[in-house]
Amino acid sequence: MPEVSVIVPTMNEEASIGTVLDEVSAALASWDVELLTGDTASRDRTNELARLKGARVLSEPRRGYGR
């Protein structure tokens, strides 16, 4: 079980999700971290890129509830 879970709300964040997840990982490098995204139907590559960075993507069909 991870020591820390970080949930990042997303919707069409292709341009920044990789950087955000890298920065979170770097800031918490001494912890066992679980990265999660709460995505509200992104239409770009947000989810693909988040998964490549090791995040688990959680789908939230209701807009505004990812946060």
Side-chain angles (χ1 to χ4, degrees):
M1 177 171 276
E3 294 176 285
V4 177
S5 295
V6 177
I7 303 172
V8 179
T10 60
M11 183 172 177
N12 299 325
E13 306 295 340
E14 179 178 358
S16 62
I17 192 63
T19 301
V20 169
L21 294 174
D22 285 345
E23 289 178 359
V24 169
S25 294
L28 301 173
S30 63
W31 295 79
D32 179 16
V33 177
E34 171 185 37
L35 298 173
L36 307 159
T37 62
D39 188 73
T40 53
S42 289
R43 294 183 178 144
D44 61 5
R45 295 179 56 225
T46 299
N47 295 330
E48 175 187 346
L49 297 173
R51 286 185 185 101
L52 287 172
K53 293 293 182 175
R56 183 166 47 124
V57 175
L58 307 173
S59 295
E60 175 50 66
R62 300 169 297 170
R63 287 186 64 149
Y65 284 83
R67 58 190 161 98

